[in-house]
Amino acid sequence: MDITVCFSKINSDVWVKELQLALPKAKISTWRPGTKLADIAVVWEPSQQFIDEQADIKALFNIGAGVDAILKLKLPPNLKIIRVDDDNMSLQMAEYVCHEVIRHFRKFDNYYEDSKRSRWSYHRPLSRMDYPVGIMGMGILGNRVAKTLKNFEFKINCYSRSYKQIEGISSFVGKEQLQDFLRASKILINLLPLTPETENILNYQTLSQLQPGGYVINAARGQHLVDDDLLMLIDSGHLSGASLDVFCTEPLPKDHIFWKHPQINITPHISARMNRKENIKSIVEKIQALIQEKPISGLIDQVRGY
Ligand code: NDP
Ligand code: OXD
């Protein structure tokens, strides 16, 4: 079996070495344009040239959860695409989101600023009843985030394509219920996949329906958010701020207004980082299952887009 590793922006050497140790009988190499055809590929943001050249490829293992960079390519319709779905990523996402929600809700930024000025002062606490949280996307990440955040006794709403029956969480489904979902939420967490339907979904029209004083947490993709619309709504006072982990251009350009905005917290796409060792273990198990024609988790539906 030939396995090729094709990454953009990430060095593949250590992956080739560790995959080779885990699969000693396979031939594993880094893809170079014009190299021989492989059966399986391990990829991150592969190019169209890679797809076009690898006519024999049966399965692509994406080393991240989001497959938007793959699905924008022209792909053979029966190509299997498999995403990361290990517990570690959803745990990290739950940590990030809970941290941002609680930091905002408990006004920890204000206390941090005070401490830098040696100021012993109190800020008026907010009421949980006034801070319903809305989670867009109830997949592997959203689901874990919702269940973790529930422990802090926030009222939680979720938004997805299909109905979710989870105790203590109100489920809103599809475009018809988007407005009701937004109006019922004050803190908005975006964990949708990037698809043609969800691109720019966080715009003036949608975000202005959040309850006054709303707060936006975007940890999915920068292309979900219309930057200027967010800024307009923060500057007009309708929204109180945002925590942003993902951006249309990454790294976020040094002169981008988000860096300096006092009500925007930036992290450099780290809310849930892929763990190489766990990822390789899971990919190897799935490759073995594929060879034995056993079912595997994490398969992407090309038509649905996630
Ligand atoms: P999943 O594919 O597991 O879940 C997607 C969820 O979104 C599902 O609940 C689905 O609904 C819902 N959904 C999809 N399209 C729509 C739509 N048009 N309207 C309403 N709901 C919709 O995704 P994950 O939870 O694994 O990941 C989400 C995204 O997070 C990834 O695609 C990636 O972009 C991003 N990500 C960011 C990371 C970071 O470090 N910042 C790390 C990892 C991922 P249903 O359940 O009904 O199918
Ligand atoms: C991912 C990511 O999709 O890191 O896994 O954004």
Side-chain angles (χ1 to χ4, degrees), residues 60 67 81-85 140 286 296-301:
L60 291 188
V67 288
I81 301 166
I82 301 110
R83 52 158 291 182
V84 175
D85 59 355
I140 293 183
K286 288 183 187 182
I296 54 169
S297 63
L299 262 180
I300 296 299
D301 178 334

Side-chain angles (χ1 to χ4, degrees), residues 83-131:
R83 52 158 291 182
V84 175
D85 59 355
D86 63 51
D87 284 347
N88 185 271
M89 255 198 164
S90 58
L91 176 61
Q92 288 181 64
M93 189 56 86
E95 288 170 346
Y96 167 83
V97 170
C98 290
H99 178 268
E100 293 310 299
V101 168
I102 292 166
R103 161 157 98 165
H104 175 69
F105 176 68
R106 293 289 310 277
K107 303 188 174 176
F108 284 132
D109 282 345
N110 300 48
Y111 289 107
Y112 176 78
E113 290 303 323
D114 289 346
S115 77
K116 295 292 133 203
R117 291 172 181 75
S118 313
R119 264 175 43 191
W120 183 280
S121 58
Y122 295 104
H123 297 274
R124 189 191 293 262
L126 301 170
S127 160
R128 248 179 197 65
M129 295 304 295
D130 300 334
Y131 271 79

